[in-house]
Amino acid sequence: MDNILILIDMQNGFINENTEDVKNRICKLLDQNLFDSVILTKYKNKPGSSVEKLLGWKKLRTELSQAIVPEIKEHANYVIEKGTYSGYNQKMKEVLEKIGNGIMPSHVFVAGLDTDSCVFATALDLFEDGIRPIVLGNYCGSSGGESYHLAALKTLERPIGRNNVVMNKKINKQDLDNIVNDLDVKEK
């Protein structure tokens, strides 16, 4: 089975003093070419969206703020646009099925921004659909700050399983193989 990385919302509008280092870690991760496929999500906040109506949040409206960070986008095999927290939508399902030649993956790796909203929602939706989300905690972050990021990772341990939230400082080929091999053993 392919190693698929779903990178959530690595867009200019989410990069700030709380997430700049996450962007840099993700760039280094991608430069290792560890994944067979890289899927990026791209959040578009349209007028009348739930976050506008219910939270008054009107950011990520311009093309510049919605643009994916160029040094990350160059690694993408697919870009999935979304207007909700979760990136696991019909288009994502179609792409995952295409990657698997008609078969959905048993697991995917998940990283990106913001851990406390879009990463969280995507991981839960993947899990609910029977796909094991392996959240790479050191490659996630929150534009709202470290406390939101850490709270989300801790909270995710309960609904998706502690073993599916990986907190390695740096992921390399051996780490990735070990994670997948551990999954293979647990699934048998």
Side-chain angles (χ1 to χ4, degrees), residues 89-130:
N89 55 26
Q90 186 58 41
K91 180 68 175 165
M92 176 75 73
K93 291 176 186 181
E94 291 167 9
V95 165
L96 290 171
E97 198 168 70
K98 179 180 177 182
I99 291 169
N101 294 316
I103 299 171
M104 293 297 272
S106 63
H107 68 276
V108 295
F109 294 90
V110 180
L113 304 173
D114 279 341
T115 317
D116 51 308
S117 53
C118 298
V119 171
F120 195 98
T122 302
L124 285 178
D125 284 350
L126 286 160
F127 184 89
E128 288 287 331
D129 207 30

Side-chain angles (χ1 to χ4, degrees), residues 22-155:
V22 177
K23 177 191 81 167
N24 296 334
R25 286 194 300 270
I26 288 174
C27 287
K28 289 177 183 173
L29 177 70
L30 292 170
D31 286 343
Q32 295 180 70
N33 296 311
L34 300 175
F35 301 95
D36 301 301
S37 296
V38 177
I39 303 169
L40 304 180
T41 66
K42 181 178 181 179
Y43 179 71
K44 289 190 166 188
N45 187 19
K46 296 181 179 172
S49 69
S50 293
V51 294
E52 180 188 73
K53 288 190 298 187
L54 302 175
L55 300 175
W57 196 77
K58 296 181 179 182
K59 296 180 181 178
L60 267 83
R61 289 276 175 80
T62 66
E63 283 191 35
L64 179 61
S65 66
Q66 292 175 358
I68 295 170
V69 174
E71 57 265 40
I72 290 175
K73 188 174 183 179
E74 68 187 35
H75 293 276
N77 300 99
Y78 304 92
V79 176
I80 308 292
E81 291 188 1
K82 64 188 187 75
T84 60
Y85 286 138
S86 180
Y88 189 62
N89 55 26
Q90 186 58 41
K91 180 68 175 165
M92 176 75 73
K93 291 176 186 181
E94 291 167 9
V95 165
L96 290 171
E97 198 168 70
K98 179 180 177 182
I99 291 169
N101 294 316
I103 299 171
M104 293 297 272
S106 63
H107 68 276
V108 295
F109 294 90
V110 180
L113 304 173
D114 279 341
T115 317
D116 51 308
S117 53
C118 298
V119 171
F120 195 98
T122 302
L124 285 178
D125 284 350
L126 286 160
F127 184 89
E128 288 287 331
D129 207 30
I131 299 170
R132 184 183 303 260
I134 304 163
V135 177
L136 302 176
N138 198 48
Y139 299 93
C140 295
S142 176
S143 57
E146 186 76 1
S147 61
Y148 286 104
H149 164 67
L150 293 174
L153 290 176
K154 186 65 179 168
T155 304

